[in-house]
Amino acid sequence: MILVTSANGTIGSQLVPSILSRGSSVRVLVRDTDRAQAAFGSRADIVRGDLTDPSSVSVALKGVDAVFLNSPSLEGFVDLQKSVIDAAASEGVSQLVRLSVAGAAPDSSTSYGRGHFALDEYLLASPLSHTILAPNAFMQNLSGSAETIKTGALYASAGDGAVSMIDARDIADVAATVLTSERHLGEALVLTGGAAVTYTDIAATLTTELGHEVRYVDVPPEVTRDNMLGFGLPAGQVDDIIALFAIFRAGQASAVSPTVQQVLGRAPRSLATFIQDHRSLFTHQA
């Protein structure tokens, strides 16, 4: 039995069917059981709860062989995940796969980068057999710009820096492969797409695939900051987003890793494929 946390999220919703397709049984720990039921039906064992509720974590871990550990990188996530790592070790879980981030480091310019580094170190020091997955930026994050893309503009503060974005479906497929085998125990796998693209490149690909012009508008970071604060985002989260854009602008997220090809035996999905598969998100429907 494999336990998937955050199973209704971007990665988890793709991971559950990927694991099931490999013939393994899945349990999910979710707050919204109706949503999980609609997505997975009777194919998954559904437990109501979340990482803030130790009792639900304890129930979800009973009889589990492997755990996929993921949670939003928001305030308090480090302590939450540490408690799950401890609980999994106490329950005798055979394997824990944790979703970290590319560039996690003690001196990261983002709070979540520092937090994920601390969690990676905590897991390394635990008795659990483990694998750490460290993906770069998700292509799915472009969905946050869907409304402006529909009207012909992609706004960001990334300058002309290139980013090796990865499709979250590829992250899920790698996680499923790791969880259903022992081939990558003890490894930290950096996951990227197959090419680094600038936001100008992204806009050009959107234009080609959607059939309407999309232009990239490079917004000054201070304007992006003011806009996000005006929308009510917490100041700490805004600071992280601005710091991430600075990483993009500096070209520090442009490295391309061969890991997806090596683990899955196929190339990562391209940006064009992602846009084709999610075309309805970015176009006005008749």
Side-chain angles (χ1 to χ4, degrees):
M1 176 72 74
I2 297 172
L3 172 65
V4 175
T5 64
S6 295
N8 286 332
T10 302
I11 302 296
S13 60
Q14 302 296 326
L15 175 57
V16 170
S18 190
I19 294 172
L20 290 169
S21 72
R22 289 163 169 78
S24 295
S25 56
V26 178
R27 178 177 295 155
V28 300
L29 177 63
V30 293
R31 285 185 292 239
D32 188 342
T33 55
D34 289 341
R35 182 176 174 186
Q37 181 67 37
F40 313 130
S42 61
R43 297 179 298 161
D45 180 22
I46 300 172
V47 175
R48 184 191 301 274
D50 61 38
L51 303 190
T52 66
D53 178 6
S55 63
S56 67
V57 171
S58 179
V59 169
L61 284 170
K62 296 297 182 184
V64 162
D65 303 303
V67 174
F68 178 74
L69 178 55
N70 179 30
S71 67
S73 301
L74 302 176
E75 184 177 357
F77 84 99
V78 173
D79 288 339
L80 282 181
Q81 290 203 22
K82 282 183 177 180
S83 68
V84 177
I85 291 169
D86 291 344
S90 296
E91 287 291 339
V93 170
S94 298
Q95 179 185 17
L96 188 143
V97 176
R98 201 187 80 78
L99 192 74
S100 183
V101 293
D107 59 351
S108 172
S109 59
T110 64
S111 66
Y112 63 81
R114 298 188 296 273
H116 278 291
F117 175 80
L119 281 166
D120 291 344
E121 292 294 295
Y122 194 80
L123 181 57
L124 287 170
S126 82
L128 289 165
S129 296
H130 63 270
T131 306
I132 295 169
L133 304 183
N136 207 357
F138 297 2
M139 293 178 187
Q140 277 75 4
N141 291 343
L142 293 172
S143 63
S145 299
E147 292 307 310
T148 64
I149 289 171
K150 289 177 183 178
T151 62
L154 172 62
Y155 297 94
S157 299
D160 58 0
V163 185
S164 53
M165 290 183 174
I166 182 168
D167 192 317
R169 294 174 294 180
D170 288 334
I171 302 170
D173 286 343
V174 169
T177 300
V178 171
L179 285 160
T180 55
S181 72
E182 297 183 350
R183 286 178 294 174
H184 299 283
L185 292 178
E187 296 182 10
L189 305 178
V190 176
L191 307 179
T192 73
V197 293
T198 66
Y199 273 73
T200 298
D201 296 331
I202 295 169
T205 305
L206 286 163
T207 297
T208 299
E209 299 301 331
L210 300 179
H212 71 260
E213 183 178 5
V214 179
R215 61 190 178 90
Y216 168 47
V217 181
D218 186 22
V219 182
E222 60 272 17
V223 174
T224 296
R225 178 189 299 277
D226 289 345
N227 287 340
M228 290 189 293
L229 290 172
F231 288 134
L233 269 67
Q237 186 177 351
V238 171
D239 288 343
D240 277 344
I241 294 171
I242 296 299
L244 181 61
F245 276 136
I247 290 170
F248 291 174
R249 285 200 310 276
Q252 295 171 353
S254 62
V256 174
S257 164
T259 305
V260 171
Q261 176 74 54
Q262 292 170 346
V263 174
L264 300 180
R266 62 163 176 79
R269 291 174 173 89
S270 67
L271 178 64
T273 296
F274 168 77
I275 296 168
Q276 291 164 9
D277 291 347
H278 298 84
R279 192 176 190 278
S280 62
L281 284 176
F282 305 113
T283 55
H284 291 292
Q285 301 300 299

